Amino acid sequence: MSELIPPTARVTPHIMELHGDTRTDDYYWLRDRESEAVLSYLKEENDYYFSKTSHTEAFQETLFQEMKSRIKEDDSSVPYKRNGYWYVTHFATGKEYPIYTRHKDTLSGPEEVLFDGNQMAEGYEFFDLRGISISPDNRLAAYGVDTLSRRQYNIRIKNLETGERFEDLLENTTGSAVWASDNKTLFYTRKDPETLRSNRIYKHVLGTDISKDELIFEEKDETFNAYVYKSKSRKFIIIGSISTLTTEFRILPADSPEGNFKVFAPRARGLEYSIYHYADHFYIVTNKDGARNFKVMRVREDQTDTAHWEEFIPHREEVLIEDIEIFKDYYVVSERDRGLTRIQVNRWDGKESYYLPFDNETYVAYTYVNLDFDTEELRYVYNAMTSPYSVIDVNMRTKKSVIQKQQEVMDPDFDENNYRSERVWATARDGVKIPISLVYHKDTPKDGTSPLLQYAYGSYGSTIDPFFSSTRLSLLDRGFIYAIAHVRGGEYLGRPWYEAGKLLHKKNSFTDFIDCSKFLIEGAYTSPQHLYAMGGSAGGLLMGVVVNLEPRLYRGVVAAVPFVDVITTMGDPSIPLTTGEYDEWGNPEDKQYYDYMKSYSPYDNVQAQEYPNMLVTAGLHDSQVQYWEPAKWVAKLRALKTDQNQLFLHTNMEAGHGGASGRFNALKETAREYTFILDLEGKAL
């Protein structure tokens, strides 16, 4: 049997010049998604991948069934109450999509099926239902549907009493809509059809001509996105404008849909704030006055300009304020202290303030669905890397807790006491301590012989918390250690942690990851022969940089929908989401940022050297990282790498950035990625 030859992409030089610098992109032609040559090349790569991994097909199926078997198929959510109805989401055995239901007054009342995602998804390769919004009188529901996986949703309206679907069709939206108090007026957000930037807020009156919908607000600054929502108090419709560094809000009483929105506080570059309404005040989580880790201020609802803001909770250098939750008699503050989440309960009258007790070394806790304003019950989620999540209701007055739901791992052999988790601190090359969350089976040796999968994201201030995963058990039970490296660029250690890993400090994210790897090797958790790395999207950028810098440090790497062609993407404002990213990565029109990006951009820095075994994934309809970035990267790697290690590109021809839809289809992708690693480790048996 002859050896399979990997695909070779044709070389068609495309010259790009900026700041007197010339770059040549031999695979620029892969950007044409309508080209038969492009589709043919992607198919060749898929065929090559499937052929080279055909010996693992049975194991992939075994792994998929193993992961699936741990999931309770006929699962349901914890009911929550809103406006006289109890809402519950169900899953049926063997079905991919949720079924949304409700009960009037009590849970013992008749069940009303609002939406059955399985029926709605019939005939589509991809299906996503989101943004279900119930009218104040409980009669109507607006909802968004995407069947292409490009995050362009069509909003429809359904009469929940008759089951009738109205003819009104709101196209190219974010999927979310907000009802005014009149039960007929909807506010929604449309996207730019080319860049997919959410930039226009419209008003639609049920039953009227869509083409005559009134444009309420247009966000003209290309670095901002716009959205619309309703305050928890239900008193205000709120339009938000957000960029990486700056926010601005506009407010309108929900019972006055014909009125004009008022600017809450004019945007000022670098001023970030979010607003929460209670009684006759707004409460504001903000970085105003240099509060890098945020503080809480308040202002009367009739005088909202920054000049009138008063301090409510002061800024603390070491504690990040992430969110607040408002109730009639209590307010709840979500914080992060040295990476660990805390939930503080406070009475408005000042008579009591306390933290919910958490005693694990590394865990996740966050407030959950709390839509009821007049209640003493706070609902939150708690889990750790060794234990499944629990949804807990705590009475804020009596402090009595009730576990409403604990994730069931449908494996009779599962025992959380068989696993260990810990948090260790690696020293980066500049002396900064980098936290790493670890989980492993209690019988896994830490003598350098164990395989270890290291994961990170490290951008946008997004924190990857040490959460439990039932799919991850398939690695842990096969002797793997799983590590989350909390590198700079995330917000695990507060806002300064994020700022130290963005723009002209971005390289800290990459070197932190490498230094964590070396720490784990030196600590005998693993060795280069057994160390694997994984990251997706901006975490895929991380993978692209580390394999250029330290290719021999890793046995294998999974880069999922990786952002790897940094300069070309950031220099093209027509590409979806580019302009809103300037404050994260920089604008290459500025030579300082151009030079810095070029010094690390994975695609620009591929060189003739050995690379680890690599699996790269893409989505043809991806709206966040265009498919051509991973495709071009793999083509260039094939042309230059000097080793015989595996290099695979798998493109999902039906899906976008989030991968396959449906709870089980998504598991197949996880099984594919894990199989790649387990096969390299000799454990795909």
Side-chain angles (χ1 to χ4, degrees):
M1 182 177 177
S2 60
E3 179 69 18
L4 283 169
I5 306 299
T8 302
R10 76 165 189 261
V11 173
T12 305
H14 176 82
I15 309 301
M16 294 172 286
E17 296 183 0
L18 188 61
H19 305 301
D21 182 59
T22 299
R23 293 185 304 130
T24 301
D25 186 349
D26 289 337
Y27 307 105
Y28 191 86
W29 62 274
L30 283 168
R31 291 167 56 108
D32 186 0
R33 103 176 52 240
E34 305 300 324
S35 164
E36 284 298 326
V38 170
L39 296 176
S40 176
Y41 171 73
L42 296 177
K43 182 178 183 301
E44 286 178 27
E45 285 284 3
N46 278 354
D47 290 345
Y48 175 72
Y49 163 69
F50 289 128
S51 296
K52 290 288 286 184
T53 60
S54 60
H55 65 286
T56 68
E57 287 179 2
F59 180 77
Q60 282 187 48
E61 179 62 22
T62 298
L63 202 61
F64 164 67
Q65 294 296 340
E66 181 181 297
M67 293 174 176
K68 181 181 176 184
S69 70
R70 297 193 191 103
I71 296 174
K72 186 178 182 183
E73 293 202 35
D74 58 343
D75 204 3
S76 62
S77 67
V78 179
Y80 66 86
K81 192 174 184 181
R82 183 166 193 177
N83 201 19
Y85 281 83
W86 288 92
Y87 289 85
V88 187
T89 302
H90 297 289
F91 280 98
T93 300
K95 299 295 186 180
E96 292 280 358
Y97 299 98
I99 301 166
Y100 300 90
T101 68
R102 70 178 181 179
H103 304 256
K104 188 174 182 180
D105 296 328
T106 68
L107 284 166
S108 60
E111 180 182 78
E112 177 185 349
V113 176
L114 307 179
F115 300 97
D116 185 337
N118 302 289
Q119 293 179 2
M120 297 171 70
E122 288 180 5
Y124 296 107
E125 291 289 338
F126 179 91
F127 176 82
D128 186 31
L129 168 66
R130 67 161 295 177
I132 297 173
S133 177
I134 309 297
S135 61
D137 63 5
N138 294 312
R139 295 178 55 250
L140 307 174
Y143 61 97
V145 170
D146 173 19
T147 55
L148 188 62
S149 188
R150 200 150 171 82
R151 301 188 182 183
Q152 291 173 285
Y153 292 81
N154 291 334
I155 293 176
R156 306 299 299 255
I157 296 96
K158 180 179 180 180
N159 186 317
L160 298 177
E161 295 180 338
T162 66
E164 168 197 9
R165 191 176 73 176
F166 289 75
E167 293 185 3
D168 309 58
L169 175 63
L170 313 178
E171 297 180 294
N172 188 31
T173 78
T174 59
S176 299
V178 177
W179 293 96
S181 301
D182 63 2
N183 299 295
K184 66 178 182 179
T185 304
L186 280 168
F187 294 89
Y188 65 97
T189 311
R190 277 189 184 156
K191 294 186 171 186
D192 182 287
E194 182 177 13
T195 67
L196 303 187
R197 183 171 69 93
S198 51
N199 62 336
R200 293 185 177 94
I201 308 297
Y202 283 87
K203 180 171 69 176
H204 174 69
V205 178
L206 194 61
T208 63
D209 186 345
I210 303 294
S211 65
K212 296 181 180 178
D213 283 2
E214 182 181 353
L215 176 63
I216 298 298
F217 171 72
E218 180 174 9
E219 180 50 73
K220 296 185 178 180
D221 188 327
E222 292 184 344
T223 66
F224 280 75
N225 286 284
Y227 58 101
V228 61
Y229 68 102
K230 184 180 282 189
S231 64
K232 182 176 177 178
S233 66
R234 306 181 199 170
K235 184 174 180 179
F236 290 95
I237 306 290
I238 303 171
I239 293 174
S241 290
I242 186 169
S243 72
T244 303
L245 295 176
T246 309
T247 48
E248 181 183 61
F249 292 94
R250 289 167 168 77
I251 58 175
L252 175 72
D255 59 3
S256 303
E258 297 302 318
N260 296 317
F261 280 84
K262 181 188 79 170
V263 175
F264 185 90
R267 69 186 63 178
R269 182 167 174 80
L271 175 64
E272 299 176 66
Y273 68 95
S274 52
I275 58 177
Y276 308 78
H277 182 253
Y278 169 68
D280 57 357
H281 279 78
F282 279 97
Y283 290 78
I284 309 146
V285 178
T286 180
N287 66 346
K288 189 176 183 292
D289 305 319
R292 296 174 72 188
N293 269 332
F294 293 82
K295 61 182 176 179
V296 181
M297 305 186 78
R298 72 173 190 168
V299 68
R300 291 186 57 85
E301 65 181 36
D302 57 354
Q303 263 186 331
T304 60
D305 190 81
T306 53
H308 303 286
W309 293 7
E310 303 170 341
E311 190 167 280
F312 184 67
I313 301 176
H315 175 248
R316 288 162 290 172
E317 290 291 340
E318 302 300 325
V319 178
L320 172 69
I321 294 178
E322 295 190 316
D323 194 18
I324 60 172
E325 189 80 61
I326 287 177
F327 299 90
K328 179 182 178 183
D329 296 320
Y330 298 87
Y331 65 94
V332 177
V333 183
S334 296
E335 305 174 345
R336 189 176 294 271
D337 183 13
R338 285 184 60 78
L340 299 181
T341 47
R342 304 195 303 185
I343 298 175
Q344 184 190 46
V345 177
N346 308 272
R347 286 188 59 92
W348 285 111
D349 59 16
K351 291 182 178 179
E352 190 171 29
S353 176
Y354 61 91
Y355 287 95
L356 298 184
F358 306 126
D359 57 4
N360 208 311
E361 182 179 353
T362 177
Y363 63 87
V364 187
Y366 53 90
T367 58
Y368 199 43
V369 180
N370 289 283
L371 300 179
D372 197 352
F373 175 72
D374 188 4
T375 180
E376 294 181 339
E377 300 292 325
L378 168 69
R379 179 164 292 172
Y380 70 95
V381 170
Y382 174 87
N383 75 31
M385 296 183 85
T386 56
S387 57
Y389 75 84
S390 295
V391 179
I392 302 169
D393 284 351
V394 58
N395 184 291
M396 293 180 281
R397 177 177 53 83
T398 67
K399 303 180 186 177
K400 286 188 63 175
S401 293
V402 177
I403 298 177
Q404 296 289 0
K405 176 185 176 66
Q406 186 165 33
Q407 178 187 359
E408 295 182 60
V409 178
M410 308 303 288
D411 179 352
D413 296 326
F414 172 74
D415 181 352
E416 63 182 70
N417 294 314
N418 287 332
Y419 304 93
R420 301 287 183 265
S421 67
E422 59 181 295
R423 186 171 61 163
V424 296
W425 298 78
T427 302
R429 60 197 63 188
D430 61 358
V432 173
K433 297 289 187 180
I434 313 298
I436 308 170
S437 295
L438 297 162
V439 63
Y440 46 86
H441 194 281
K442 66 178 182 180
D443 297 331
T444 298
K446 291 186 284 185
D447 59 3
T449 64
S450 295
L452 186 149
L453 176 57
Q454 182 179 329
Y455 178 86
Y457 184 73
S459 292
Y460 303 106
S462 179
T463 299
I464 306 300
D465 277 311
F467 61 94
F468 177 82
S469 166
S470 67
T471 58
R472 191 187 298 144
L473 296 175
S474 291
L475 293 178
L476 305 186
D477 290 347
R478 289 175 172 85
F480 268 76
I481 299 171
Y482 186 89
I484 300 174
H486 303 289
V487 300
R488 282 172 282 188
E491 215 165 61
Y492 186 79
L493 292 181
R495 187 66 171 202
W497 200 247
Y498 168 41
E499 293 169 353
K502 63 183 288 194
L503 294 173
L504 298 175
H505 302 290
K506 187 65 225 170
K507 289 182 183 179
N508 283 334
S509 303
F510 315 136
T511 55
D512 283 357
F513 189 89
I514 291 168
D515 293 341
C516 286
S517 298
K518 292 179 178 179
F519 169 84
L520 293 168
I521 291 168
E522 291 165 3
Y525 288 93
T526 190
S527 66
Q529 293 76 34
H530 300 288
L531 177 58
Y532 301 87
M534 179 183 286
S537 192
L541 164 69
L542 178 59
M543 296 300 101
V545 175
V546 300
V547 296
N548 280 336
L549 294 177
E550 293 279 0
R552 297 187 180 184
L553 198 57
Y554 306 94
R555 176 78 183 279
V557 171
V558 176
V561 291
F563 169 46
V564 286
D565 190 10
V566 182
I567 300 177
T568 308
T569 293
M570 293 308 302
D572 186 350
S574 71
I575 294 176
L577 308 179
T578 289
T579 56
E581 307 271 293
Y582 289 153
D583 288 331
E584 179 73 26
W585 312 102
N587 186 340
E589 291 295 324
D590 182 327
K591 187 176 187 303
Q592 182 184 27
Y593 288 112
Y594 176 91
D595 291 341
Y596 191 75
M597 289 178 184
K598 187 178 179 183
S599 71
Y600 70 75
S601 173
Y603 186 62
D604 291 287
N605 287 280
V606 173
Q607 55 190 298
Q609 65 176 9
E610 292 185 5
Y611 281 88
N613 297 284
M614 296 173 63
L615 170 62
V616 182
T617 68
L620 183 63
H621 302 292
D622 197 329
S623 62
Q624 287 186 260
V625 176
Q626 306 300 313
Y627 73 89
W628 61 74
E629 290 201 42
K632 292 195 310 174
W633 184 43
V634 168
K636 191 171 183 179
L637 282 165
R638 287 208 189 286
L640 291 179
K641 75 189 191 83
T642 60
D643 58 83
Q644 298 301 312
N645 288 332
Q646 296 175 356
L647 174 60
F648 300 132
L649 171 67
H650 176 253
T651 303
N652 188 324
M653 305 300 281
E654 307 294 340
H657 198 66
S661 64
R663 55 178 177 160
F664 300 135
N665 285 333
L667 281 183
K668 292 179 179 179
E669 295 188 345
T670 302
R672 183 180 298 124
E673 294 169 354
Y674 281 9
T675 295
F676 172 74
I677 294 169
L678 288 163
D679 187 40
L680 290 171
E681 194 61 25
K683 293 179 179 288
L685 305 172

